[in-house]
Amino acid sequence: DKITARNLQAFAISMTGLSSPTIARALHAASSFFSYSLRLGHVDRNPVAQVEMPKKGEQRPYVPTHEQCRDLVAATPDVRERAMLLLLLTGGLRRGELLSLKRRDISTDATEVTVTGKGRRTRTIPLPHQTADALSRHLGDTAPASEYAFPNEAGNEMSATTFYRLFKRILRRAGLEVDEILGVEGFV
């Protein structure tokens, strides 16, 4: 018996419950196999070429509740961590934007930050008083030995791994489910 596009489409449909990227990977693997077989002359066409690939599901970012935000801020007495957390929560910064934020990107009164995000787009974000105060306190407490607002111990940009460790500690102190929140794309 031959494997047809209809068989492969049924195979893709049978994987209901798996994520779109997982199904797409399986179909791409099959396509690679058939492309190789085509080059060797064992088949006359690649049936995967006629299969409809799964649509990439839109994954919404995690949005913490007002209570969770309050708990997170209350569980963060450290000035640096509080400034970072408030920038994420009230400024809408992405993790990469926060970690690459430089002192020169912060207004002198800390009421605005200018970030370069996805696609190299630059945007200026006004900050609420609570965030500006926390950011001012943090910058006032640290010597400007680094160009980064939140550098690692060596004065360089903090790594994502270090950030996640720090953020996990904050989540645990706040009594929030670490895996539930960090497992969702878009919160940090």
PDB file of all heavy atoms in Angstrom, residues 136-171:
ATOM      1  N   SER A 136      14.045  54.889  41.148  1.00  0.00           N
ATOM      2  CA  SER A 136      14.938  55.928  41.683  1.00  0.00           C
ATOM      3  C   SER A 136      15.708  55.417  42.890  1.00  0.00           C
ATOM      4  O   SER A 136      16.918  55.654  43.013  1.00  0.00           O
ATOM      5  CB  SER A 136      14.133  57.165  42.092  1.00  0.00           C
ATOM      6  OG  SER A 136      13.670  57.832  40.962  1.00  0.00           O
ATOM      7  N   ARG A 137      15.018  54.718  43.791  1.00  0.00           N
ATOM      8  CA  ARG A 137      15.682  54.153  44.974  1.00  0.00           C
ATOM      9  C   ARG A 137      16.762  53.170  44.557  1.00  0.00           C
ATOM     10  O   ARG A 137      17.874  53.195  45.082  1.00  0.00           O
ATOM     11  CB  ARG A 137      14.675  53.483  45.908  1.00  0.00           C
ATOM     12  CG  ARG A 137      14.039  54.443  46.891  1.00  0.00           C
ATOM     13  CD  ARG A 137      13.315  53.717  48.005  1.00  0.00           C
ATOM     14  NE  ARG A 137      12.332  52.756  47.523  1.00  0.00           N
ATOM     15  CZ  ARG A 137      11.060  53.047  47.252  1.00  0.00           C
ATOM     16  NH1 ARG A 137      10.608  54.259  47.411  1.00  0.00           N
ATOM     17  NH2 ARG A 137      10.246  52.117  46.832  1.00  0.00           N
ATOM     18  N   HIS A 138      16.429  52.293  43.612  1.00  0.00           N
ATOM     19  CA  HIS A 138      17.406  51.303  43.142  1.00  0.00           C
ATOM     20  C   HIS A 138      18.621  52.000  42.538  1.00  0.00           C
ATOM     21  O   HIS A 138      19.765  51.679  42.876  1.00  0.00           O
ATOM     22  CB  HIS A 138      16.773  50.358  42.112  1.00  0.00           C
ATOM     23  CG  HIS A 138      17.778  49.618  41.287  1.00  0.00           C
ATOM     24  ND1 HIS A 138      18.667  48.716  41.829  1.00  0.00           N
ATOM     25  CD2 HIS A 138      18.078  49.688  39.964  1.00  0.00           C
ATOM     26  CE1 HIS A 138      19.455  48.237  40.873  1.00  0.00           C
ATOM     27  NE2 HIS A 138      19.116  48.830  39.731  1.00  0.00           N
ATOM     28  N   LEU A 139      18.395  52.949  41.660  1.00  0.00           N
ATOM     29  CA  LEU A 139      19.518  53.628  41.000  1.00  0.00           C
ATOM     30  C   LEU A 139      20.328  54.454  41.995  1.00  0.00           C
ATOM     31  O   LEU A 139      21.547  54.554  41.862  1.00  0.00           O
ATOM     32  CB  LEU A 139      19.005  54.502  39.855  1.00  0.00           C
ATOM     33  CG  LEU A 139      18.383  53.743  38.681  1.00  0.00           C
ATOM     34  CD1 LEU A 139      17.752  54.704  37.681  1.00  0.00           C
ATOM     35  CD2 LEU A 139      19.379  52.828  38.006  1.00  0.00           C
ATOM     36  N   GLY A 140      19.659  55.000  43.003  1.00  0.00           N
ATOM     37  CA  GLY A 140      20.359  55.759  44.026  1.00  0.00           C
ATOM     38  C   GLY A 140      21.181  54.880  44.949  1.00  0.00           C
ATOM     39  O   GLY A 140      22.206  55.304  45.488  1.00  0.00           O
ATOM     40  N   ASP A 141      20.742  53.618  45.122  1.00  0.00           N
ATOM     41  CA  ASP A 141      21.451  52.670  46.004  1.00  0.00           C
ATOM     42  C   ASP A 141      22.654  52.020  45.348  1.00  0.00           C
ATOM     43  O   ASP A 141      23.488  51.433  46.023  1.00  0.00           O
ATOM     44  CB  ASP A 141      20.506  51.556  46.472  1.00  0.00           C
ATOM     45  CG  ASP A 141      19.526  52.034  47.523  1.00  0.00           C
ATOM     46  OD1 ASP A 141      19.641  53.192  47.965  1.00  0.00           O
ATOM     47  OD2 ASP A 141      18.638  51.239  47.890  1.00  0.00           O
ATOM     48  N   THR A 142      22.726  52.084  44.021  1.00  0.00           N
ATOM     49  CA  THR A 142      23.807  51.387  43.323  1.00  0.00           C
ATOM     50  C   THR A 142      24.726  52.393  42.640  1.00  0.00           C
ATOM     51  O   THR A 142      24.262  53.367  42.049  1.00  0.00           O
ATOM     52  CB  THR A 142      23.253  50.410  42.259  1.00  0.00           C
ATOM     53  OG1 THR A 142      22.439  51.142  41.334  1.00  0.00           O
ATOM     54  CG2 THR A 142      22.425  49.314  42.893  1.00  0.00           C
ATOM     55  N   ALA A 143      25.987  52.132  42.723  1.00  0.00           N
ATOM     56  CA  ALA A 143      26.965  52.983  42.045  1.00  0.00           C
ATOM     57  C   ALA A 143      26.872  52.737  40.545  1.00  0.00           C
ATOM     58  O   ALA A 143      26.689  51.599  40.109  1.00  0.00           O
ATOM     59  CB  ALA A 143      28.364  52.650  42.549  1.00  0.00           C
ATOM     60  N   PRO A 144      26.991  53.790  39.759  1.00  0.00           N
ATOM     61  CA  PRO A 144      26.884  53.612  38.304  1.00  0.00           C
ATOM     62  C   PRO A 144      28.138  52.987  37.684  1.00  0.00           C
ATOM     63  O   PRO A 144      28.722  53.527  36.763  1.00  0.00           O
ATOM     64  CB  PRO A 144      26.637  55.032  37.792  1.00  0.00           C
ATOM     65  CG  PRO A 144      27.185  55.927  38.837  1.00  0.00           C
ATOM     66  CD  PRO A 144      27.103  55.182  40.141  1.00  0.00           C
ATOM     67  N   ALA A 145      28.543  51.845  38.211  1.00  0.00           N
ATOM     68  CA  ALA A 145      29.731  51.153  37.694  1.00  0.00           C
ATOM     69  C   ALA A 145      29.424  50.435  36.387  1.00  0.00           C
ATOM     70  O   ALA A 145      30.332  50.049  35.662  1.00  0.00           O
ATOM     71  CB  ALA A 145      30.235  50.145  38.728  1.00  0.00           C
ATOM     72  N   SER A 146      28.144  50.243  36.102  1.00  0.00           N
ATOM     73  CA  SER A 146      27.740  49.545  34.888  1.00  0.00           C
ATOM     74  C   SER A 146      26.794  50.432  34.095  1.00  0.00           C
ATOM     75  O   SER A 146      26.078  51.261  34.659  1.00  0.00           O
ATOM     76  CB  SER A 146      27.034  48.236  35.243  1.00  0.00           C
ATOM     77  OG  SER A 146      26.489  47.646  34.082  1.00  0.00           O
ATOM     78  N   GLU A 147      26.765  50.226  32.802  1.00  0.00           N
ATOM     79  CA  GLU A 147      25.821  50.965  31.972  1.00  0.00           C
ATOM     80  C   GLU A 147      24.408  50.379  32.102  1.00  0.00           C
ATOM     81  O   GLU A 147      23.432  51.041  31.779  1.00  0.00           O
ATOM     82  CB  GLU A 147      26.271  50.943  30.513  1.00  0.00           C
ATOM     83  CG  GLU A 147      26.244  49.558  29.869  1.00  0.00           C
ATOM     84  CD  GLU A 147      26.667  49.573  28.413  1.00  0.00           C
ATOM     85  OE1 GLU A 147      26.373  50.546  27.694  1.00  0.00           O
ATOM     86  OE2 GLU A 147      27.283  48.589  27.993  1.00  0.00           O
ATOM     87  N   TYR A 148      24.303  49.143  32.588  1.00  0.00           N
ATOM     88  CA  TYR A 148      23.003  48.486  32.713  1.00  0.00           C
ATOM     89  C   TYR A 148      22.296  48.904  33.994  1.00  0.00           C
ATOM     90  O   TYR A 148      22.919  49.097  35.032  1.00  0.00           O
ATOM     91  CB  TYR A 148      23.163  46.961  32.677  1.00  0.00           C
ATOM     92  CG  TYR A 148      23.617  46.470  31.334  1.00  0.00           C
ATOM     93  CD1 TYR A 148      24.944  46.166  31.093  1.00  0.00           C
ATOM     94  CD2 TYR A 148      22.709  46.345  30.286  1.00  0.00           C
ATOM     95  CE1 TYR A 148      25.370  45.746  29.843  1.00  0.00           C
ATOM     96  CE2 TYR A 148      23.122  45.930  29.039  1.00  0.00           C
ATOM     97  CZ  TYR A 148      24.451  45.633  28.821  1.00  0.00           C
ATOM     98  OH  TYR A 148      24.865  45.224  27.574  1.00  0.00           O
ATOM     99  N   ALA A 149      20.979  49.007  33.914  1.00  0.00           N
ATOM    100  CA  ALA A 149      20.190  49.363  35.096  1.00  0.00           C
ATOM    101  C   ALA A 149      20.169  48.215  36.098  1.00  0.00           C
ATOM    102  O   ALA A 149      20.146  48.439  37.308  1.00  0.00           O
ATOM    103  CB  ALA A 149      18.766  49.733  34.683  1.00  0.00           C
ATOM    104  N   PHE A 150      20.184  46.969  35.597  1.00  0.00           N
ATOM    105  CA  PHE A 150      20.128  45.787  36.458  1.00  0.00           C
ATOM    106  C   PHE A 150      21.223  44.799  36.035  1.00  0.00           C
ATOM    107  O   PHE A 150      20.938  43.725  35.498  1.00  0.00           O
ATOM    108  CB  PHE A 150      18.746  45.127  36.367  1.00  0.00           C
ATOM    109  CG  PHE A 150      17.628  46.060  36.699  1.00  0.00           C
ATOM    110  CD1 PHE A 150      16.868  46.655  35.695  1.00  0.00           C
ATOM    111  CD2 PHE A 150      17.337  46.373  38.017  1.00  0.00           C
ATOM    112  CE1 PHE A 150      15.841  47.533  36.005  1.00  0.00           C
ATOM    113  CE2 PHE A 150      16.314  47.252  38.338  1.00  0.00           C
ATOM    114  CZ  PHE A 150      15.567  47.840  37.330  1.00  0.00           C
ATOM    115  N   PRO A 151      22.474  45.164  36.279  1.00  0.00           N
ATOM    116  CA  PRO A 151      23.572  44.308  35.810  1.00  0.00           C
ATOM    117  C   PRO A 151      23.757  43.069  36.682  1.00  0.00           C
ATOM    118  O   PRO A 151      23.253  43.003  37.810  1.00  0.00           O
ATOM    119  CB  PRO A 151      24.789  45.226  35.950  1.00  0.00           C
ATOM    120  CG  PRO A 151      24.442  46.118  37.093  1.00  0.00           C
ATOM    121  CD  PRO A 151      22.956  46.346  36.983  1.00  0.00           C
ATOM    122  N   ASN A 152      24.504  42.114  36.141  1.00  0.00           N
ATOM    123  CA  ASN A 152      24.916  40.975  36.958  1.00  0.00           C
ATOM    124  C   ASN A 152      26.085  41.417  37.830  1.00  0.00           C
ATOM    125  O   ASN A 152      26.492  42.584  37.796  1.00  0.00           O
ATOM    126  CB  ASN A 152      25.260  39.753  36.090  1.00  0.00           C
ATOM    127  CG  ASN A 152      26.442  40.005  35.163  1.00  0.00           C
ATOM    128  OD1 ASN A 152      27.204  40.955  35.315  1.00  0.00           O
ATOM    129  ND2 ASN A 152      26.594  39.135  34.179  1.00  0.00           N
ATOM    130  N   GLU A 153      26.651  40.494  38.588  1.00  0.00           N
ATOM    131  CA  GLU A 153      27.736  40.854  39.512  1.00  0.00           C
ATOM    132  C   GLU A 153      28.978  41.389  38.806  1.00  0.00           C
ATOM    133  O   GLU A 153      29.736  42.168  39.371  1.00  0.00           O
ATOM    134  CB  GLU A 153      28.097  39.657  40.392  1.00  0.00           C
ATOM    135  CG  GLU A 153      27.011  39.305  41.371  1.00  0.00           C
ATOM    136  CD  GLU A 153      27.314  38.049  42.179  1.00  0.00           C
ATOM    137  OE1 GLU A 153      28.408  37.480  42.012  1.00  0.00           O
ATOM    138  OE2 GLU A 153      26.449  37.656  42.966  1.00  0.00           O
ATOM    139  N   ALA A 154      29.174  40.988  37.562  1.00  0.00           N
ATOM    140  CA  ALA A 154      30.334  41.448  36.799  1.00  0.00           C
ATOM    141  C   ALA A 154      30.077  42.789  36.105  1.00  0.00           C
ATOM    142  O   ALA A 154      30.966  43.331  35.457  1.00  0.00           O
ATOM    143  CB  ALA A 154      30.728  40.396  35.763  1.00  0.00           C
ATOM    144  N   GLY A 155      28.849  43.300  36.233  1.00  0.00           N
ATOM    145  CA  GLY A 155      28.514  44.575  35.612  1.00  0.00           C
ATOM    146  C   GLY A 155      27.982  44.459  34.197  1.00  0.00           C
ATOM    147  O   GLY A 155      27.744  45.453  33.529  1.00  0.00           O
ATOM    148  N   ASN A 156      27.785  43.226  33.739  1.00  0.00           N
ATOM    149  CA  ASN A 156      27.266  42.988  32.394  1.00  0.00           C
ATOM    150  C   ASN A 156      25.750  42.781  32.439  1.00  0.00           C
ATOM    151  O   ASN A 156      25.152  42.729  33.506  1.00  0.00           O
ATOM    152  CB  ASN A 156      27.939  41.752  31.785  1.00  0.00           C
ATOM    153  CG  ASN A 156      29.436  41.924  31.689  1.00  0.00           C
ATOM    154  OD1 ASN A 156      29.932  42.979  31.310  1.00  0.00           O
ATOM    155  ND2 ASN A 156      30.162  40.890  32.067  1.00  0.00           N
ATOM    156  N   GLU A 157      25.173  42.600  31.266  1.00  0.00           N
ATOM    157  CA  GLU A 157      23.733  42.337  31.194  1.00  0.00           C
ATOM    158  C   GLU A 157      23.415  41.030  31.917  1.00  0.00           C
ATOM    159  O   GLU A 157      24.090  40.021  31.718  1.00  0.00           O
ATOM    160  CB  GLU A 157      23.300  42.240  29.729  1.00  0.00           C
ATOM    161  CG  GLU A 157      21.814  42.039  29.553  1.00  0.00           C
ATOM    162  CD  GLU A 157      21.395  42.064  28.089  1.00  0.00           C
ATOM    163  OE1 GLU A 157      22.022  42.778  27.288  1.00  0.00           O
ATOM    164  OE2 GLU A 157      20.439  41.355  27.751  1.00  0.00           O
ATOM    165  N   MET A 158      22.398  41.065  32.768  1.00  0.00           N
ATOM    166  CA  MET A 158      21.974  39.869  33.495  1.00  0.00           C
ATOM    167  C   MET A 158      21.466  38.827  32.502  1.00  0.00           C
ATOM    168  O   MET A 158      20.752  39.169  31.553  1.00  0.00           O
ATOM    169  CB  MET A 158      20.854  40.232  34.480  1.00  0.00           C
ATOM    170  CG  MET A 158      20.364  39.066  35.319  1.00  0.00           C
ATOM    171  SD  MET A 158      18.904  39.462  36.318  1.00  0.00           S
ATOM    172  CE  MET A 158      19.552  40.693  37.406  1.00  0.00           C
ATOM    173  N   SER A 159      21.806  37.573  32.715  1.00  0.00           N
ATOM    174  CA  SER A 159      21.348  36.503  31.825  1.00  0.00           C
ATOM    175  C   SER A 159      19.905  36.138  32.141  1.00  0.00           C
ATOM    176  O   SER A 159      19.414  36.381  33.250  1.00  0.00           O
ATOM    177  CB  SER A 159      22.233  35.267  31.971  1.00  0.00           C
ATOM    178  OG  SER A 159      21.979  34.639  33.216  1.00  0.00           O
ATOM    179  N   ALA A 160      19.246  35.529  31.181  1.00  0.00           N
ATOM    180  CA  ALA A 160      17.871  35.082  31.387  1.00  0.00           C
ATOM    181  C   ALA A 160      17.813  34.040  32.498  1.00  0.00           C
ATOM    182  O   ALA A 160      16.872  34.023  33.297  1.00  0.00           O
ATOM    183  CB  ALA A 160      17.308  34.506  30.089  1.00  0.00           C
ATOM    184  N   THR A 161      18.816  33.186  32.590  1.00  0.00           N
ATOM    185  CA  THR A 161      18.848  32.149  33.625  1.00  0.00           C
ATOM    186  C   THR A 161      18.894  32.774  35.014  1.00  0.00           C
ATOM    187  O   THR A 161      18.151  32.378  35.911  1.00  0.00           O
ATOM    188  CB  THR A 161      20.060  31.220  33.424  1.00  0.00           C
ATOM    189  OG1 THR A 161      19.999  30.670  32.109  1.00  0.00           O
ATOM    190  CG2 THR A 161      20.084  30.116  34.449  1.00  0.00           C
ATOM    191  N   THR A 162      19.755  33.748  35.195  1.00  0.00           N
ATOM    192  CA  THR A 162      19.848  34.438  36.489  1.00  0.00           C
ATOM    193  C   THR A 162      18.527  35.124  36.814  1.00  0.00           C
ATOM    194  O   THR A 162      18.039  35.076  37.939  1.00  0.00           O
ATOM    195  CB  THR A 162      20.992  35.474  36.465  1.00  0.00           C
ATOM    196  OG1 THR A 162      22.211  34.781  36.174  1.00  0.00           O
ATOM    197  CG2 THR A 162      21.109  36.212  37.784  1.00  0.00           C
ATOM    198  N   PHE A 163      17.934  35.757  35.799  1.00  0.00           N
ATOM    199  CA  PHE A 163      16.655  36.429  36.002  1.00  0.00           C
ATOM    200  C   PHE A 163      15.584  35.438  36.430  1.00  0.00           C
ATOM    201  O   PHE A 163      14.817  35.698  37.357  1.00  0.00           O
ATOM    202  CB  PHE A 163      16.221  37.150  34.721  1.00  0.00           C
ATOM    203  CG  PHE A 163      14.814  37.662  34.802  1.00  0.00           C
ATOM    204  CD1 PHE A 163      14.538  38.832  35.498  1.00  0.00           C
ATOM    205  CD2 PHE A 163      13.782  36.965  34.211  1.00  0.00           C
ATOM    206  CE1 PHE A 163      13.229  39.294  35.590  1.00  0.00           C
ATOM    207  CE2 PHE A 163      12.481  37.422  34.297  1.00  0.00           C
ATOM    208  CZ  PHE A 163      12.209  38.595  34.991  1.00  0.00           C
ATOM    209  N   TYR A 164      15.507  34.275  35.750  1.00  0.00           N
ATOM    210  CA  TYR A 164      14.487  33.287  36.109  1.00  0.00           C
ATOM    211  C   TYR A 164      14.678  32.774  37.535  1.00  0.00           C
ATOM    212  O   TYR A 164      13.702  32.565  38.253  1.00  0.00           O
ATOM    213  CB  TYR A 164      14.472  32.121  35.114  1.00  0.00           C
ATOM    214  CG  TYR A 164      13.690  32.448  33.868  1.00  0.00           C
ATOM    215  CD1 TYR A 164      14.280  32.379  32.623  1.00  0.00           C
ATOM    216  CD2 TYR A 164      12.355  32.844  33.926  1.00  0.00           C
ATOM    217  CE1 TYR A 164      13.569  32.694  31.474  1.00  0.00           C
ATOM    218  CE2 TYR A 164      11.647  33.163  32.794  1.00  0.00           C
ATOM    219  CZ  TYR A 164      12.255  33.081  31.572  1.00  0.00           C
ATOM    220  OH  TYR A 164      11.553  33.402  30.446  1.00  0.00           O
ATOM    221  N   ARG A 165      15.910  32.569  37.943  1.00  0.00           N
ATOM    222  CA  ARG A 165      16.164  32.136  39.331  1.00  0.00           C
ATOM    223  C   ARG A 165      15.637  33.182  40.308  1.00  0.00           C
ATOM    224  O   ARG A 165      14.968  32.856  41.283  1.00  0.00           O
ATOM    225  CB  ARG A 165      17.657  31.915  39.559  1.00  0.00           C
ATOM    226  CG  ARG A 165      18.137  30.578  39.100  1.00  0.00           C
ATOM    227  CD  ARG A 165      19.556  30.306  39.634  1.00  0.00           C
ATOM    228  NE  ARG A 165      20.247  29.524  38.643  1.00  0.00           N
ATOM    229  CZ  ARG A 165      21.329  29.895  37.987  1.00  0.00           C
ATOM    230  NH1 ARG A 165      21.916  31.031  38.248  1.00  0.00           N
ATOM    231  NH2 ARG A 165      21.873  29.114  37.085  1.00  0.00           N
ATOM    232  N   LEU A 166      15.957  34.430  40.037  1.00  0.00           N
ATOM    233  CA  LEU A 166      15.506  35.524  40.889  1.00  0.00           C
ATOM    234  C   LEU A 166      13.977  35.592  40.907  1.00  0.00           C
ATOM    235  O   LEU A 166      13.358  35.709  41.961  1.00  0.00           O
ATOM    236  CB  LEU A 166      16.102  36.833  40.353  1.00  0.00           C
ATOM    237  CG  LEU A 166      15.792  38.122  41.065  1.00  0.00           C
ATOM    238  CD1 LEU A 166      17.039  38.998  41.040  1.00  0.00           C
ATOM    239  CD2 LEU A 166      14.662  38.851  40.402  1.00  0.00           C
ATOM    240  N   PHE A 167      13.384  35.483  39.739  1.00  0.00           N
ATOM    241  CA  PHE A 167      11.931  35.594  39.641  1.00  0.00           C
ATOM    242  C   PHE A 167      11.228  34.411  40.311  1.00  0.00           C
ATOM    243  O   PHE A 167      10.174  34.582  40.932  1.00  0.00           O
ATOM    244  CB  PHE A 167      11.513  35.720  38.171  1.00  0.00           C
ATOM    245  CG  PHE A 167      10.148  36.306  38.011  1.00  0.00           C
ATOM    246  CD1 PHE A 167       9.950  37.670  38.203  1.00  0.00           C
ATOM    247  CD2 PHE A 167       9.066  35.515  37.700  1.00  0.00           C
ATOM    248  CE1 PHE A 167       8.688  38.221  38.081  1.00  0.00           C
ATOM    249  CE2 PHE A 167       7.806  36.065  37.578  1.00  0.00           C
ATOM    250  CZ  PHE A 167       7.614  37.418  37.767  1.00  0.00           C
ATOM    251  N   LYS A 168      11.800  33.226  40.217  1.00  0.00           N
ATOM    252  CA  LYS A 168      11.231  32.062  40.903  1.00  0.00           C
ATOM    253  C   LYS A 168      11.204  32.285  42.411  1.00  0.00           C
ATOM    254  O   LYS A 168      10.235  31.932  43.083  1.00  0.00           O
ATOM    255  CB  LYS A 168      12.023  30.793  40.588  1.00  0.00           C
ATOM    256  CG  LYS A 168      11.700  30.181  39.254  1.00  0.00           C
ATOM    257  CD  LYS A 168      12.532  28.914  39.065  1.00  0.00           C
ATOM    258  CE  LYS A 168      12.270  28.307  37.722  1.00  0.00           C
ATOM    259  NZ  LYS A 168      13.030  27.068  37.510  1.00  0.00           N
ATOM    260  N   ARG A 169      12.272  32.879  42.943  1.00  0.00           N
ATOM    261  CA  ARG A 169      12.305  33.178  44.384  1.00  0.00           C
ATOM    262  C   ARG A 169      11.175  34.129  44.762  1.00  0.00           C
ATOM    263  O   ARG A 169      10.511  33.955  45.779  1.00  0.00           O
ATOM    264  CB  ARG A 169      13.650  33.790  44.777  1.00  0.00           C
ATOM    265  CG  ARG A 169      14.768  32.798  44.917  1.00  0.00           C
ATOM    266  CD  ARG A 169      15.965  33.379  45.674  1.00  0.00           C
ATOM    267  NE  ARG A 169      16.443  34.644  45.157  1.00  0.00           N
ATOM    268  CZ  ARG A 169      17.388  34.790  44.229  1.00  0.00           C
ATOM    269  NH1 ARG A 169      17.959  33.728  43.696  1.00  0.00           N
ATOM    270  NH2 ARG A 169      17.777  35.981  43.836  1.00  0.00           N
ATOM    271  N   ILE A 170      10.956  35.143  43.946  1.00  0.00           N
ATOM    272  CA  ILE A 170       9.882  36.109  44.214  1.00  0.00           C
ATOM    273  C   ILE A 170       8.534  35.395  44.184  1.00  0.00           C
ATOM    274  O   ILE A 170       7.686  35.600  45.062  1.00  0.00           O
ATOM    275  CB  ILE A 170       9.915  37.265  43.193  1.00  0.00           C
ATOM    276  CG1 ILE A 170      11.185  38.087  43.356  1.00  0.00           C
ATOM    277  CG2 ILE A 170       8.682  38.155  43.346  1.00  0.00           C
ATOM    278  CD1 ILE A 170      11.411  39.109  42.250  1.00  0.00           C
ATOM    279  N   LEU A 171       8.328  34.552  43.180  1.00  0.00           N
ATOM    280  CA  LEU A 171       7.048  33.827  43.068  1.00  0.00           C
ATOM    281  C   LEU A 171       6.817  32.935  44.286  1.00  0.00           C
ATOM    282  O   LEU A 171       5.706  32.888  44.835  1.00  0.00           O
ATOM    283  CB  LEU A 171       7.024  32.982  41.793  1.00  0.00           C
ATOM    284  CG  LEU A 171       6.924  33.747  40.482  1.00  0.00           C
ATOM    285  CD1 LEU A 171       7.126  32.799  39.311  1.00  0.00           C
ATOM    286  CD2 LEU A 171       5.602  34.464  40.360  1.00  0.00           C
TER     287      LEU A 171
END
